[in-house]
Amino acid sequence: MPELPEVETVRRGLQPVMEGAKILKAEARRPDLRFPFQPDFVARLQGQIVTGLGRRAKYLMADLASGDVLLMHLGMSGSFRVIKPDNDAVPGEFHYPRGKDSAHDHVLFRMSSGADIVFNDPRRFGYMKVIARNALEDEPLLRGLGPEPLGNEFDASMLARACAGKTTSLKAALLDQRVVAGLGNIYVCEALHRSHLSPRRIAATLATKGRKGVGGGEPTDHAKRLVGAIHTVLNDAIKAGGSSLRDHRQTSGELGYFQHSFKVYDREGEKCTTPGCGGTIKRFTQNGRSTFWCPKCQK
């Protein structure tokens, strides 16, 4: 599943050809993806100007001049590609040639910018939905999402308050989209390693304990280190175009390459890269997901 850096990379790739342009033609080439398209899906998009292209957690959000918002989720294998008449750019180092089979090209947007934007999704776990902007707060897909980890509101104090009293593992808490939005398995493993915190640590240890029910809930040094690590790993991943382990491609067709910078993820049996550690990366199953960590330097 693409995580925040992959979705942000796609947003930045679409922004130059989508933002400020009119959707001259919208085409849904099948009745559904993960969910059925709304009966008026095409009608609410065609002829509309995209006034802004943003991201919320793992969702892309295109603001339309009509007051609607096009909500887009990549699912497991969804990707966008931008086709221009003069698109003769030289592929980058991590270019991945896209298949010519158009059977999985399910949605097309023809933009006044001169670009065709095609959504391809072999597994059809992605989805799109048009929502009135004034109804976003009540939208079930968005309701209850926690703060953006790269937003100004997300800091050690906020994370400590969200984790105070939680008896779940620290990794499980970070994967809870109500605690912080957009983090997934890869970047949680990486952030925990960079902050030297065990994925098995109890989430409540990010907050101080009060005395006799009074006070407490302040961020510990663990919380401060973890927030710093989350910021660093996400920003580094965005700069690298995300991680391409299986399906993620940038809109240009290039692979992201942050996977070449992984410290623990998918490195079972390799030596820990923490200076002076000398430990070995281990893997275990946690909440149904593979967790990679160094038992020696993550406590």
Side-chain angles (χ1 to χ4, degrees), residues 35 49 94 102 129 143 161 170 174 186 215 222 229 243 276 279:
F35 309 121
I49 294 174
F94 297 99
S102 61
K129 184 176 182 180
R143 191 168 55 230
R161 289 195 300 271
L170 184 50
L174 293 175
I186 292 174
H222 302 316
S243 301

Side-chain angles (χ1 to χ4, degrees), residues 90-116:
V90 178
E93 180 180 357
F94 297 99
H95 181 76
Y96 180 86
R98 292 182 182 274
K100 296 183 179 180
D101 182 3
S102 61
H104 304 302
D105 289 349
H106 301 312
V107 182
L108 178 141
F109 304 121
R110 179 154 294 158
M111 309 301 298
S112 63
S113 60
D116 283 355

Side-chain angles (χ1 to χ4, degrees), residues 8-283:
E8 178 61 22
T9 298
V10 172
R11 187 194 71 81
R12 295 182 183 188
L14 292 176
Q15 190 174 28
V17 296
M18 201 171 191
E19 198 168 78
K22 180 184 288 188
I23 303 175
L24 300 177
K25 179 183 179 182
E27 184 179 343
R29 296 176 174 174
R30 56 175 299 111
D32 59 6
L33 290 173
R34 184 174 178 181
F35 309 121
F37 287 109
Q38 297 150 294
D40 58 353
F41 177 78
V42 168
R44 291 172 71 176
L45 296 176
Q46 206 150 271
Q48 291 299 318
I49 294 174
V50 178
T51 58
L53 185 63
R55 178 192 54 76
R56 177 71 171 108
K58 301 175 185 180
Y59 292 95
L60 291 167
M61 301 176 68
D63 279 289
L64 306 177
S66 63
D68 283 337
V69 176
L70 171 60
L71 192 71
M72 299 170 279
H73 195 285
L74 298 174
M76 295 290 290
S77 61
S79 64
F80 285 94
R81 72 178 184 272
V82 176
I83 304 172
K84 296 180 181 179
D86 60 347
N87 190 6
D88 59 352
V90 178
E93 180 180 357
F94 297 99
H95 181 76
Y96 180 86
R98 292 182 182 274
K100 296 183 179 180
D101 182 3
S102 61
H104 304 302
D105 289 349
H106 301 312
V107 182
L108 178 141
F109 304 121
R110 179 154 294 158
M111 309 301 298
S112 63
S113 60
D116 283 355
I117 299 171
V118 180
F119 180 69
N120 181 286
D121 189 1
R123 302 186 204 175
R124 301 202 306 274
F125 282 131
Y127 48 91
M128 297 186 188
K129 184 176 182 180
V130 182
I131 308 165
R133 171 153 284 285
N134 59 15
L136 282 179
E137 290 186 4
D138 298 321
E139 170 54 44
L141 294 171
L142 301 175
R143 191 168 55 230
L145 285 177
E148 288 288 321
L150 294 178
N152 293 332
E153 294 180 356
F154 182 71
D155 58 16
S157 295
M158 173 172 279
L159 183 58
R161 289 195 300 271
C163 290
K166 283 188 177 293
T167 58
T168 58
S169 70
L170 184 50
K171 186 187 177 190
L174 293 175
L175 289 175
D176 185 343
Q177 298 299 292
R178 296 168 297 182
V179 172
V180 56
L183 291 182
N185 197 41
I186 292 174
Y187 298 108
V188 168
C189 287
E190 290 295 307
L192 287 172
H193 179 261
R194 293 189 185 207
S195 57
H196 305 300
L197 296 175
S198 168
R200 290 190 168 112
R201 173 181 282 275
I202 299 300
T205 59
L206 295 187
T208 59
K209 293 182 179 180
R211 295 183 178 180
K212 296 182 180 180
V214 178
E218 296 300 315
T220 63
D221 287 340
H222 302 316
K224 296 173 184 177
R225 290 207 314 270
L226 180 55
V227 167
I230 290 171
H231 287 160
T232 299
V233 74
L234 291 180
N235 282 316
D236 287 351
I238 290 170
K239 290 177 183 177
S243 301
S244 294
L245 297 182
R246 188 167 183 174
D247 294 305
H248 170 62
R249 304 286 181 268
Q250 300 182 59
T251 56
S252 62
E254 288 184 275
L255 292 167
Y257 56 95
F258 187 70
Q259 66 273 14
H260 301 295
S261 300
F262 286 167
K263 303 295 185 184
V264 287
Y265 192 85
D266 206 26
R267 295 188 62 242
E268 180 183 12
E270 298 182 30
K271 290 297 181 182
C272 178
T273 59
T274 300
C277 174
T280 301
I281 305 303
K282 304 291 185 183
R283 183 188 72 84

